[in-house]
Amino acid sequence: MILHRIGCLFFEHQKNGGGLVNLRQLEIFGAVMSTGTTVGAANMLNVSQPAVSQMILHMEDQLKFKLFHRHRGRLVPTQEAQILYEKAQRVFEAFESTNFVVDQIKGNLIGELRVVSTPALGNAVLPVAIARFREARPEVKVSLELGSLDYVQNSVETGRADIGVHYYPDEHPLFQRVKLGDVSMVCVMPKDHALADKAIIEPQDLRDSPFISVSSNDPIGAVIRNAFKQSNIDLELAIEVRYHYTARDLVSLNQGLALVESYLLLSAHRYPELAFRAFHPQIVTSTEAIHLKSRPLSAVAQLFLEDLHDTCSSILDHEEARVILPSGSG
């Protein structure tokens, strides 16, 4: 009967709130069991030897049975102590695991991050940012979803995402806005197109070419159309699309020319049949991240946001500087 009581005592304590043993007592008991002496246990736990001896005596008084016998200066565990120690191993392991998780959380090495982005940024920038971020934090679980501007804002507003990333965010009283950078439009065309010999493309150059554009309902599409309107150029709009990468893919199929965000230069090497040229006057769009003002970001999310800002800056500095120039243009 006493052995059954020992085997279940910790779990009875947890279940019924009894006063049999507590975690600190088990920790000291485990240290004595592993070292064989109260001195060794005291050194392990960085406490005094009398404190360890007193705790063991107190445990024995509570449990109403002996835990150790002394033999030649060492403490020899009783059979009851052996059973208790075996059962307590699960507690020790859980305690160590909890401490490990605490250290991971304190070091921002573990956690979950939910990000939602418009497709162009989600395809061009977020994979790079996530890979860089997780290189030092492989235990952080990241969820990335792509969707329209409305979907991004709704996901953040309803708590489905921690961070949203998009262009031209509207003023919104619920969102904290973090600017990530300004992006210029570049002109994309087949490499053998006559305009590929120019270093800079201007609105009048596109007057007689079939043009592929993002929808006028899109903020960037509206800005592109306005730029041509101010230059008194009537675009020959051939195809209207929702996303910049769709426009680029249609250009690669010889369906016309397009203005696309410079982030797409990240994948220019996959499209050797295309030429990318600077466009003047510059059309600049703002890239921003948003999160709820009413719900502070986790430490992991805050670090990711900082890394994302750095990633966007480095990509812009690198990619916009390498707009591919025609041969002989310097």
Side-chain angles (χ1 to χ4, degrees):
M1 188 68 182
I2 190 172
L3 297 183
H4 174 75
R5 184 186 179 206
I6 297 168
C8 299
L9 78 89
F10 184 72
F11 306 102
E12 290 175 358
H13 171 73
Q14 284 190 314
K15 180 179 178 182
N16 302 321
L20 292 176
V21 290
N22 58 44
L23 188 58
R24 181 58 173 169
Q25 288 173 319
L26 280 179
E27 184 182 24
I28 291 176
F29 167 70
V32 175
M33 288 290 291
S34 62
T35 63
T37 66
T38 55
V39 173
N43 291 334
M44 177 185 290
L45 300 175
N46 197 28
V47 296
S48 68
Q49 186 272 335
V52 173
S53 298
Q54 190 64 37
M55 184 66 77
I56 294 300
L57 291 174
H58 184 61
M59 280 187 69
E60 291 178 331
D61 183 60
Q62 283 182 297
L63 296 173
K64 309 304 181 187
F65 55 77
K66 293 287 291 183
L67 293 172
F68 299 97
H69 296 294
R70 288 194 172 274
H71 181 70
R72 296 181 180 178
R74 295 187 66 84
L75 294 177
V76 179
T78 63
Q79 183 181 8
E80 291 83 357
Q82 293 283 9
I83 296 171
L84 175 59
Y85 186 62
E86 180 182 342
K87 293 294 182 180
Q89 285 302 314
R90 282 178 289 177
V91 179
F92 299 144
E93 291 169 4
F95 187 64
E96 290 177 4
S97 176
T98 301
N99 280 337
F100 176 76
V101 170
V102 168
D103 288 340
Q104 293 281 85
I105 293 173
K106 287 170 64 177
N108 300 310
L109 299 175
I110 193 171
E112 294 187 3
L113 178 65
R114 299 166 300 169
V115 183
V116 62
S117 171
T118 49
L121 293 166
N123 282 303
V125 179
L126 269 300
V128 177
I130 290 170
R132 290 179 178 178
F133 182 74
R134 293 190 73 253
E135 185 175 355
R137 306 169 185 86
E139 297 302 318
V140 174
K141 180 181 178 182
V142 180
S143 169
L144 173 62
E145 287 191 49
L146 307 183
S148 66
L149 178 63
D150 289 340
Y151 181 80
V152 170
Q153 292 183 334
N154 183 259
S155 295
V156 175
E157 184 174 349
T158 58
R160 292 197 306 271
D162 304 305
I163 296 172
V165 183
H166 56 40
Y167 296 111
Y168 277 112
D170 298 327
E171 289 288 348
H172 197 298
L174 297 180
F175 296 150
Q176 182 69 46
R177 302 167 61 184
V178 180
K179 185 171 181 177
L180 300 176
D182 291 326
V183 184
S184 297
M185 297 291 105
V186 296
C187 186
V188 57
M189 65 197 71
K191 185 169 285 186
D192 58 0
H193 194 279
L195 291 177
D197 291 333
K198 296 193 64 174
I200 297 175
I201 306 300
E202 297 175 299
Q204 58 267 27
D205 295 324
L206 303 177
R207 184 192 304 271
D208 298 321
S209 298
F211 192 73
I212 304 165
S213 176
V214 291
S215 168
S216 58
N217 294 325
D218 182 283
I220 299 178
V223 171
I224 290 174
R225 283 164 175 75
N226 188 56
F228 282 92
K229 184 177 180 180
Q230 289 183 352
S231 298
N232 295 314
I233 302 296
D234 292 326
L235 278 174
E236 184 187 337
L237 186 60
I239 304 175
E240 189 173 78
V241 298
R242 188 168 187 175
Y243 303 121
H244 288 257
Y245 62 84
T246 308
R248 175 203 57 199
D249 292 347
L250 285 166
V251 173
S252 73
L253 295 171
N254 295 305
Q255 294 303 300
L257 309 186
L259 294 181
V260 297
E261 61 212 7
S262 56
Y263 279 136
L264 291 185
L265 286 166
L266 272 172
S267 57
H269 62 283
R270 300 176 189 168
Y271 295 83
E273 73 278 13
L274 298 180
F276 294 84
R277 299 290 180 260
F279 183 81
H280 282 204
Q282 276 192 319
I283 298 175
V284 178
T285 63
S286 178
T287 305
E288 294 190 359
I290 58 172
H291 62 88
L292 280 179
K293 293 179 179 178
S294 61
R295 188 178 64 231
L297 290 176
S298 67
V300 166
Q302 186 62 52
L303 278 176
F304 176 77
L305 195 56
E306 294 170 7
D307 277 13
L308 178 60
H309 181 275
D310 293 343
T311 298
C312 287
S313 297
S314 64
I315 288 175
L316 288 173
D317 291 344
H318 178 67
E319 297 305 325
E320 291 197 14
R322 62 176 289 274
V323 173
I324 305 168
L325 298 177
S327 58
S329 64

